[in-house]
Amino acid sequence: MNLLVTGGAGYIGSVVTAQLLAEGHEVVVLDDLSTGHADAVPEGARLVRGSLREAAEAVLAEGGFDAVLHFAAKSLVGESVARPALYWDANLGESLALFEAMRRTGVAKIVFSSTAAAYGDPERTPIPEDAPPRPTSPYGATKLAIDGVLTAYARLHGLGAVSLRYFNVAGAHGRFGERHAVETHLIPNVLAAALGRHEAVRIFGADYPTPDGTCVRDYVHVVDLGRAHLLALDACAPGAHVVYNLGSGGGHSVGEVIDVCREVTGLPIPAVIEERRPGDPAILVASSAAIARDLGWKAERGLNEMVADAWGFARR
Ligand SMILES: NC(=O)c1ccc[n+]([C@@H]2O[C@H](COP(=O)([O-])OP(=O)(O)OC[C@H]3O[C@@H](n4cnc5c(N)ncnc54)[C@H](O)[C@@H]3O)[C@@H](O)[C@H]2O)c1
Ligand SMILES: O=c1ccn([C@@H]2O[C@H](COP(=O)(O)OP(=O)(O)O[C@H]3O[C@H](CO)[C@H](O)[C@H](O)[C@H]3O)[C@@H](O)[C@H]2O)c(=O)[nH]1
């Protein structure tokens, strides 16, 4: 297929682009490099530098595109609380420009990066797709709104769309991995402490109602996530919008993650307990039963492999 990948210079987009190229697809990456890196775009993909508003229609109008994979977004929960209008504009506004460009150029399939943050604080775990979406941050709210727009575009304009709600994405794929100027995610921060870039890992709260008092999350390897995108592309059906969770179905606490990082690196990695980070739910674990049932997808790589691959990337 000929594919447009928005955000393909970022962490997940670069990994999925590498996987798409390996499967023989042609890829154009559209990225404004606001949080991504030009050198993260895999060889073999063409990079167009620009925002979706500025450039999506011109690129799609070149013709021949079969589908879009839409990763481009702002995704810092804390920043979204501080600057909600920026997030509504950057996520919903830019996505609308992309969907309109698709409608006008007749590109009718899309796979979208949604998020566990669309659910907010869950009533029950594991979280199924039909759990009430009650985002607790503007970031989650913008992603949920984009899911809503996709439902409308499917019904009204015949778009075939799949939203994938990622839980905690981790790991790396060779030279493609997580390289954010502002890093909020746990595993890269623990590995940065292992490399001596931080004095210690900061554990945000050890008084949660969980077995060791630290938050539990559902970690999924970025390579497994990429496989789900390949399956989702084939599953885009005209006039339908489907939402799938992507997680492993199991959870690990912050304490467990740090222990696995110590095991994998062979380093002591000092940790200090700090206050809770505002807005963190105690436990977030996905039910990925729907995508297993419909598309036969299942997470295959466990936490040790995620940490080992992220460690290989961090040391490069
Ligand atoms: N990393 C996670 O654990 C996680 C979890 C849930 C959902 N997601 C979603 O997955 C997607 C990718 O996340 P990531 O961690 O790779 O983030 P990232 O910041 O590494 O990548 C995003 C990329 O999009 C580009 N971009 C942003 N806004 C743009 C715009 N308007 N026009 C063009 N390019 C733009 C950035 O320059 C960057 O290269 C995001 O949509 C994010 O919300 C990520
Ligand atoms: O230095 C750190 C970083 C994180 N944490 C803790 O580790 C857990 C995981 O935090 P991350 O920031 O790695 O991930 P989140 O669960 O907060 O975020 C993930 O889930 C969100 C939905 O809730 C969004 O989808 C977001 O994009 C995605 O990365 C949380 O309990 C957090 O408090 C620490 O203790 N120390």
Side-chain angles (χ1 to χ4, degrees):
M1 285 192 265
N2 281 323
L3 302 168
L4 176 67
V5 174
T6 76
Y11 166 42
I12 301 169
S14 64
V15 170
V16 178
T17 295
Q19 290 173 297
L20 293 167
L21 293 168
E23 292 288 318
H25 300 294
E26 299 277 333
V27 179
V28 175
V29 166
L30 174 57
D31 198 301
D32 65 4
L33 303 183
S34 50
T35 58
H37 311 271
D39 66 6
V41 176
E43 226 169 275
R46 173 162 68 98
L47 169 65
V48 176
R49 184 176 178 171
S51 71
L52 309 180
R53 272 196 192 98
E54 286 161 357
E57 186 153 355
V59 175
L60 289 174
E62 290 171 8
F65 286 94
D66 299 296
V68 175
L69 293 102
H70 179 27
F71 298 94
K74 290 198 164 294
S75 59
L76 298 174
V77 173
E79 183 183 54
S80 80
V81 174
R83 303 183 66 189
L86 173 71
Y87 270 66
W88 284 106
D89 183 57
N91 289 352
L92 181 58
E94 291 277 324
S95 295
L96 278 170
L98 172 68
F99 304 156
E100 271 304 286
M102 291 176 66
R103 190 183 62 79
R104 286 198 287 260
T105 56
V107 178
K109 289 182 179 182
I110 185 165
V111 178
F112 169 60
S113 305
S114 190
T115 170
Y119 297 113
D121 234 331
E123 264 166 18
R124 60 194 168 106
T125 44
I127 306 170
E129 287 83 354
D130 61 2
R134 287 186 303 227
T136 51
S137 69
Y139 165 64
T142 62
K143 290 284 183 166
L144 179 63
I146 298 165
D147 283 339
V149 173
L150 287 173
T151 303
Y153 269 65
R155 194 174 299 143
L156 302 174
H157 308 298
L159 193 71
V162 175
S163 288
L164 298 175
R165 289 197 175 147
Y166 314 159
F167 280 61
N168 290 63
V169 188
H173 180 43
R175 76 171 191 90
F176 306 106
E178 210 162 354
R179 185 149 62 102
H180 295 131
V182 179
E183 189 52 80
T184 59
H185 291 148
L186 178 64
I187 292 174
N189 279 334
V190 179
L191 297 178
L195 287 168
R197 293 197 191 122
H198 305 313
E199 259 176 44
V201 185
R202 300 156 67 201
I203 298 175
F204 298 135
D207 58 351
Y208 283 95
T210 60
D212 68 3
T214 65
C215 289
V216 171
R217 293 288 181 273
D218 186 344
Y219 294 88
V220 58
H221 197 298
V222 67
V223 170
D224 282 334
L225 196 88
R227 277 195 302 113
H229 287 73
L230 293 163
L231 295 169
L233 266 180
D234 289 335
C236 288
H241 174 222
V242 188
V243 177
Y244 292 120
N245 288 341
L246 287 184
S248 71
H252 295 282
S253 72
V254 171
E256 282 172 348
V257 169
I258 296 172
D259 283 343
V260 169
C261 291
R262 287 179 177 137
E263 204 181 296
V264 167
T265 61
L267 295 166
I269 315 182
V272 291
I273 294 168
E274 297 198 356
E275 292 294 298
R276 290 182 177 195
R277 193 171 67 176
D280 276 340
I283 303 177
L284 283 177
V285 174
S287 164
S288 299
I291 191 164
R293 180 196 63 219
D294 292 355
L295 307 187
W297 180 88
K298 204 170 153 292
E300 287 171 358
R301 294 160 179 80
L303 185 61
N304 278 71
E305 194 168 344
M306 291 178 224
V307 171
D309 291 346
W311 180 233
F313 177 76
R315 279 185 306 171
R316 285 175 103 96

